[in-house]
Amino acid sequence: MSAAKLEKPSMDHKESYIKALKEFQAEGRYSFLDIDDVENNFEEFIQKLHEGKKNIHKPYADWVETVPETVLWLVKDNEFIGTLNIRHRLNWHLEKWGGHLNFIIRPSMRGKGFGKKLLQKAIPYISYLGIDRALITIDPKDTSANKIIQFCGAVLEDTLPATDKFPERNRYWLDCT
Ligand SMILES: CC(C)(COP(=O)(O)OP(=O)(O)OC[C@H]1O[C@@H](n2cnc3c(N)ncnc32)[C@H](O)[C@@H]1OP(=O)(O)O)[C@@H](O)C(=O)NCCC(=O)NCCS
């Protein structure tokens, strides 16, 4: 048994990533990815994740500035567990509804402490990218995500009310120095 670690996406975890993608899609996430296409062109898919040049913000792609992004995977015993997205800077949308970070654990691995591990392990990488204070925006009703962020020492800035286009969000700052 090996410890969970954050690493760059790689071909080594294809099988477990595809299984995880099916789990994510079953709960309505990543619907913009075609699983067969990802599976058949996995090397190209990984390459795009490494390039990390985009942050699409569907369905607002045409009026939101794209920012560079680093994507890391949480891996344990050679299995994909979850994804961390680090946006290198904020645009107006990320300042309010997206933040610097997004993290997700595959549904079958939730409730086992991996979310907490992922964010703890993320801090040195965020710092390495030159981000001293990372903004994290979370649904106030998402108990586990709010717990994880508070456990890691993030400080609540405010709660933005829902608008007709965007949902309510707690905005936290995480010290990464
Ligand atoms: C939010 C998320 C990352 C949490 O990951 P996880 O691996 O299940 O979290 P952990 O197992 O580390 O649990 C963290 C805390 O939440 C609690 N928790 C876990 N699941 C819970 C649930 N369903 N209800 C209430 N509390 C819960 C745990 O007990 C733990 O608290 P503790 O440290 O006081 O015991 C995961 O649910 C997820 O991927 N959600 C979808 C994406 C998302 O919302 N990301 C948010 C950041 S952008």
Side-chain angles (χ1 to χ4, degrees):
M1 243 198 338
S2 65
K5 56 185 177 198
L6 277 174
E7 52 180 66
K8 283 172 86 174
S10 91
M11 293 295 289
D12 298 348
H13 312 302
K14 176 174 175 178
E15 200 180 313
S16 55
Y17 183 80
I18 296 295
K19 280 188 190 152
L21 195 49
K22 288 179 183 161
E23 293 174 16
F24 287 134
Q25 290 199 341
E27 63 170 13
R29 296 176 198 271
Y30 294 107
S31 52
F32 54 92
L33 291 177
D34 177 324
I35 295 191
D36 290 339
D37 188 41
V38 172
E39 191 164 14
N40 295 333
N41 302 289
F42 201 66
E43 195 160 2
E44 197 185 317
F45 175 72
I46 295 287
Q47 190 52 41
K48 279 193 184 149
L49 294 181
H50 287 179
E51 283 169 12
K53 285 184 197 140
K54 59 181 185 330
N55 193 313
I56 300 173
H57 295 290
K58 288 182 180 183
Y60 306 110
D62 52 343
W63 48 275
V64 177
E65 177 207 3
T66 57
V67 299
E69 180 178 74
T70 293
V71 180
L72 296 172
W73 283 355
L74 187 74
V75 171
K76 182 172 163 55
D77 298 332
N78 219 27
E79 296 264 315
F80 167 88
I81 305 282
T83 298
L84 167 70
N85 301 74
I86 311 173
R87 289 91 185 223
H88 298 193
R89 58 189 165 77
L90 301 174
N91 56 31
W92 71 262
H93 180 271
L94 294 172
E95 251 171 48
K96 292 185 185 312
W97 288 283
H100 284 101
L101 306 183
N102 191 56
F103 55 96
I104 186 162
I105 299 296
R106 64 185 283 191
S108 62
M109 288 292 176
R110 288 185 193 154
K112 299 171 191 274
F114 286 119
K116 214 181 228 185
K117 263 192 196 126
L118 185 154
L119 190 60
Q120 286 174 293
K121 285 173 188 288
I123 293 171
Y125 292 94
I126 303 165
S127 170
Y128 184 72
L129 288 166
I131 303 163
D132 290 342
R133 281 197 334 148
L135 182 69
I136 313 178
T137 69
I138 295 290
D139 177 351
K141 291 184 281 307
D142 187 338
T143 313
S144 50
N146 281 278
K147 266 189 175 178
I148 291 169
I149 291 159
Q150 288 162 9
F151 174 83
C152 289
V155 177
L156 182 68
E157 166 93 19
D158 53 18
T159 302
L160 292 187
T163 69
D164 53 347
K165 286 200 173 61
F166 300 110
E168 186 183 28
R169 281 293 175 260
N170 279 348
R171 295 166 73 247
Y172 291 91
W173 287 103
L174 178 66
D175 186 346
C176 300
T177 53

